């Protein structure tokens, strides 16, 4: 009986840990999606413009937004100076469009302490209703190949692709 209780206790601890981990990822994904829809984001160069992607960008046509932390790192030309880095807490959001319809939120959040970060960024994609398209727990594995180029400005490419 004591042995059965011990196995039950171990199973309970394992299940509790898995539920906790799943809830944590869900909360982080929900938080990242909410960051993408924040009213405190500012359009790139203060222009509500749909940019045509260039240079083989996989995201297509997009609008670009930044939070205040990210804006503080931009130079007078509205771009991150080459060789510079965004500070932790920076949020960059691409809103992808097909025609005039918003189809995807593409988010990078600078969080060098996150276990989900790749190159100090957390990466995620969500449809307009918040459904996860690219989960942050993939640690940017599908993103960093393109973002890790000699032209990149702290793993961002938007300044060079429009």
């Amino acid at each position: 009986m004591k042995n059965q209780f011990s196995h039950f206790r171990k199973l309970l601890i394992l299940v509790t840990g898995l539920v906790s981990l799943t809830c944590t990822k869900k909360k982080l994904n929900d938080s990242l999606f909410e960051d993408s829809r924040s009213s405190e984001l500012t359009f790139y160069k203060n222009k509500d413009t749909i940019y045509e992607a260039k240079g083989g960008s996989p995201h297509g046509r997009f609008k670009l937004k930044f939070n205040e932390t990210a804006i503080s790192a931009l130079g007078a030309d509205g771009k991150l100076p080459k060789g510079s880095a965004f500070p932790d807490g920076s949020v960059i959001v691409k809103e992808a469009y097909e025609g005039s319809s918003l189809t995807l939120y593409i988010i990078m959040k600078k969080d060098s302490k996150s276990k989900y970060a790749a190159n100090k960024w957390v990466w995620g994609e969500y449809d307009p209703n918040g459904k996860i398209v690219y989960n942050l727990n993939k640690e940017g594995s599908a993103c960093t190949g393109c973002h890790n180029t000699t032209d990149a400005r702290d793993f961002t490419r938007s300044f060079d692709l429009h």
Side-chain angles (χ1 to χ4, degrees):
M1 183 75 163
K2 186 176 180 181
N3 195 22
Q4 286 178 333
F5 180 73
S6 177
H7 289 304
F8 176 75
R9 185 172 176 210
K10 288 178 185 176
L11 181 61
L12 184 60
I13 291 169
L14 177 65
V15 169
T16 302
L18 289 174
V19 167
S20 175
L21 182 61
T22 301
C23 289
T24 300
K25 280 192 274 188
K26 180 171 178 14
K27 286 179 186 175
L28 289 172
N29 271 300
D30 289 348
S31 175
L32 195 60
F33 175 67
E34 289 306 314
D35 285 344
S36 74
R37 299 170 41 110
S38 171
S39 62
E40 296 179 12
L41 295 174
T42 301
F43 284 109
Y44 178 56
K45 295 187 177 183
N46 292 313
K47 295 179 184 174
D48 184 357
T49 302
I50 296 178
Y51 294 96
E52 298 295 331
K54 295 180 183 171
S57 172
H59 303 299
R61 301 171 66 239
F62 64 93
K63 291 183 180 183
L64 189 59
K65 295 180 176 182
F66 300 90
N67 71 353
E68 193 60 39
T69 304
I71 288 172
S72 72
L74 302 180
D77 63 353
K79 298 179 178 186
L80 181 70
K82 288 188 178 186
S84 297
F86 284 99
D88 261 14
S90 295
V91 175
I92 303 170
V93 178
K94 272 187 172 180
E95 295 177 345
Y97 286 82
E98 289 182 18
S100 61
S101 298
L102 174 65
T103 58
L104 192 64
Y105 290 101
I106 304 142
I107 303 125
M108 292 175 66
K109 183 173 186 174
K110 188 80 173 264
D111 185 352
S112 62
K113 294 181 175 125
S114 173
K115 68 180 181 180
Y116 300 111
N119 302 307
K120 301 181 183 177
W121 290 95
V122 175
W123 315 71
E125 294 182 1
Y126 306 86
D127 76 9
N129 296 315
K131 180 181 175 195
I132 299 168
V133 175
Y134 185 80
N135 198 310
L136 63 83
N137 69 356
K138 293 184 179 180
E139 300 174 15
S141 60
C143 309
T144 57
C146 291
H147 284 257
N148 188 19
T149 67
T150 57
D151 294 340
R153 301 167 194 250
D154 192 17
F155 296 91
T156 60
R157 299 294 313 274
S158 298
F159 304 114
D160 303 314
L161 295 178
H162 66 81

